[in-house]
Amino acid sequence: MELKRFTRLSMLLALSVVLNLIETIVPLFNGTVPGIRLGLANVVILLVLYAYTFRDALFLSIVRVFLVGILRTGVFSITFFFSFGGAILSILFMYLFKRFTKLSMVGVSIIGSVMHSLGQILVLTIYLHSFSAFAYLPIMLAFAIPTGIFTGVISKSLVKYVK
Amino acid sequence: MVLNSMNKSDIKLIVVVLFLILVFYLLFDNNAPGTNAIVKYNGSVIDKLDLTKDNSYTYDGALGDVVVNVSNGYIYIEKENSPKHICKKQGKISKSGESLICLPNLITIEIESNDVEYDSIVR
């Protein structure tokens, strides 16, 4: 059983990395709104959170950020820290809201999407030593709702196949 | 299909997030046209521009020269060397509280009004 679990988790990890790469090749709105992405990789993280455990999902998130870092942005570059801040904050809050509220998978996905934006803005704030980045929060949050619903609905219809 | 997969708490969450968007929007958008622009490099102020005078300025960014242009009360980045040119794509800004963030060059431009003191208290 352990072997099956590891194999499945590895496949899901690979899938999340590939989805992340595809997403950056085809940006939303032709890249006119910087920093807006569908968050397809979050589908995988959500599936792992629901079908496996929080620890697996956290581990997968961290490894994913490092792998995307190696493949695309470079490890410990500023883009890497954006992803890292966003991913960690997102998975932590998704877990807390899943455990302590009545939110469905779609709601938890919106939380993940919102926290991913917030995490990136926090990293940007630390990096620039300026709160001006928070001016972007409303527009990022406005996009976080539809993208969160989108990934949430996909995850919800897929979760029964992963379990 | 979308509505079927959501429950009451999900809808409540969306309402809360929409409310937060409104709050943050109001916090950062006071619609007053700005009078000055603060230019920062890596967090420290390097210049303060008068938005009432049309002019062009050049700053030393992390990736080379960043050319900033002021015309008719609007400020925008005219030329920069970032890989995706997101600094340039942010376009023109004119209102107090708005900002241009040029991350690869470590340059930020924030617009202020003359009544800065009051502005920050209201915030």
Side-chain angles (χ1 to χ4, degrees), chain A residues 95-146:
Chain A
Y95 168 66
L96 292 175
F97 276 82
K98 174 185 176 267
R99 188 141 197 287
F100 298 108
T101 67
K102 287 178 190 158
L103 288 179
S104 79
M105 235 175 140
V106 178
V108 171
S109 170
I110 297 173
I111 290 287
S113 177
V114 164
M115 287 301 158
H116 197 271
S117 309
L118 191 64
Q120 291 185 320
I121 298 235
L122 286 175
V123 172
L124 190 57
T125 303
I126 297 166
Y127 188 65
L128 294 172
H129 312 283
S130 155
F131 282 101
S132 54
F134 271 88
Y136 278 134
L137 198 56
I139 191 155
M140 287 189 85
L141 289 186
F143 280 100
I145 299 177

Side-chain angles (χ1 to χ4, degrees), chain A residues 34 82 102-104 106-107 110-111 124 127-130 132-138 141-142 145 149 153 156, chain B residues 1-2 5-7 9-10 13-14 17-18 21 24-25 28 40 42-43 86 90 99 101 103 106 108 110:
Chain A
F82 278 165
K102 287 178 190 158
L103 288 179
S104 79
V106 178
I110 297 173
I111 290 287
L124 190 57
Y127 188 65
L128 294 172
H129 312 283
S130 155
S132 54
F134 271 88
Y136 278 134
L137 198 56
L141 289 186
I145 299 177
I149 293 174
V153 171
K156 199 166 187 175
Chain B
M1 182 194 166
V2 172
S5 45
M6 288 200 273
N7 62 27
S9 348
D10 292 349
L13 172 73
I14 293 176
V17 177
L18 285 175
I21 292 173
F24 275 100
Y25 179 73
F28 285 96
K40 287 184 185 174
N42 202 7
I86 284 174
Q90 291 175 67
S99 61
I101 298 176
L103 196 57
L106 289 168
T108 60
E110 291 163 49

Side-chain angles (χ1 to χ4, degrees), chain A residues 17-54:
Chain A
V17 172
V18 170
L19 286 175
N20 193 295
L21 293 177
I22 290 175
E23 230 171 31
T24 45
I25 296 167
V26 191
L28 280 184
F29 309 112
N30 227 350
T32 39
V33 191
I36 306 293
R37 280 192 287 122
L38 263 180
L40 287 174
N42 199 39
V43 170
V44 178
I45 304 298
L46 261 173
L47 289 177
V48 174
L49 184 64
Y50 274 80
Y52 295 89
T53 62
F54 166 63

